[in-house]
Amino acid sequence: DVDHHRARQASAAGLGGAKRGDGLKPISPPHHVRERLPPVLVLHGTADTTAPFQQAGAFARAMKGAGNV
């Protein structure tokens, strides 16, 4: 059951973190990072109110750490 009114909030109070636990981990891009993936251009504005800016940075760092640059 997803509360679509709170779906706009990707924080622990919304779809992520403590409320959903690991339920969204299978569709979370950072959890699929591995070596030999094609490079990805990540664009994310700091004014985004849907997904925290830090998530884009974490994904970019994971991709770079795996050599996908």
Side-chain angles (χ1 to χ4, degrees), residues 17-66:
K19 183 174 181 177
R20 300 299 293 186
D22 285 338
L24 297 178
K25 197 171 186 176
I27 63 169
S28 175
H31 292 95
H32 293 280
V33 172
R34 62 186 184 282
E35 291 180 352
R36 302 188 61 166
L37 289 176
V40 175
L41 175 63
V42 178
L43 301 173
H44 192 161
T46 56
D48 187 336
T49 59
T50 303
F53 181 73
Q54 295 81 2
Q55 289 180 354
F59 176 71
R61 284 188 298 279
M63 288 291 284
K64 187 174 183 178

